[in-house]
């Protein structure tokens, strides 16, 4: 049998979540994070509070508004948008030459394609290009 995790003070919770006290209190006030057990200096926070804070922090960093986060916490399916590259971030792109002047540029990490799928895409685009050129020649 495991012993329950000792509850955290507000200072300890803020340190674990890497958030200022003011932000944590604001999230509690908005109902994004559950109220602590106890009041004032006796208030204690557990693992559930830390999980809630980290979830709100992650979604806020992804660009969601606090209103949208509240909706998601209420049970809507979380469709967290990809924030995309940020200034200063290194982004690797693949450039695939389909033909003279026609190049496919993709970000493999965001495209979600396996190498086999990428090959199939390139082959399909090459065939489509050939078809379009043939159709254009007959018009």
């Amino acid at each position: 049998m495991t012993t329950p995790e000792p509850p955290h003070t507000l200072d300890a919770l803020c340190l674990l979540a890497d958030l200022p006290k003011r932000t944590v209190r604001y999230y509690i006030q908005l109902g994004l994070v559950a109220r602590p057990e106890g009041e004032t200096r006796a208030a204690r926070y557990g693992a559930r509070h830390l999980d809630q804070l980290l979830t709100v922090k992650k979604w806020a960093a992804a660009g969601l508004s606090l209103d949208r986060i509240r909706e998601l916490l209420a049970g809507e399916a979380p469709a967290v948008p990809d924030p995309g590259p940020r200034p200063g971030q290194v982004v690797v792109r693949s450039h695939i030459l389909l033909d003279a002047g026609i190049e496919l540029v993709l970000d493999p990490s965001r495209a979600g394609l396996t190498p086999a799928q990428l090959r199939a895409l390139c082959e399909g685009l090459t065939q489509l290009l050939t078809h379009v050129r043939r159709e254009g020649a007959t018009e």
Side-chain angles (χ1 to χ4, degrees):
M1 183 181 214
T2 62
T3 58
E5 179 183 323
H8 305 290
T9 63
L10 179 58
D11 288 329
L13 182 70
C14 291
L15 185 65
L16 290 169
D18 191 28
L19 289 169
K21 287 183 194 180
R22 182 178 181 149
T23 300
V24 173
R25 287 185 184 122
Y26 184 60
Y27 289 168
I28 292 170
Q29 179 185 355
L30 291 177
L32 301 175
V33 175
R35 298 195 63 76
E37 298 173 20
E39 296 290 326
T40 62
R41 291 185 184 267
R44 294 293 179 255
Y45 304 84
R48 175 179 67 130
H49 296 98
L50 180 59
D51 287 343
Q52 291 171 337
L53 277 174
L54 293 176
T55 299
V56 171
K57 183 179 175 181
K58 174 182 71 174
W59 286 344
L64 295 173
S65 69
L66 294 180
D67 287 334
R68 180 63 178 140
I69 292 171
R70 182 182 298 113
E71 292 170 357
L72 292 173
L73 292 173
E76 290 186 25
V80 179
D82 181 0
R86 295 182 183 92
Q89 181 179 359
V90 175
V91 178
V92 177
R93 303 239 191 255
S94 295
H95 295 256
I96 302 166
L97 183 64
L98 298 173
D99 202 355
I102 302 175
E103 186 175 358
L104 173 65
V105 180
L106 61 102
D107 181 344
S109 63
R110 294 179 67 196
L113 297 174
T114 66
Q117 291 171 325
L118 182 56
R119 279 190 298 278
L121 175 65
C122 291
E123 289 171 9
L125 288 173
T126 303
Q127 291 172 2
L128 178 62
L129 179 60
T130 303
H131 175 75
V132 167
R133 284 193 171 142
R134 271 193 230 133
E135 291 295 316
T138 60
E139 291 178 2

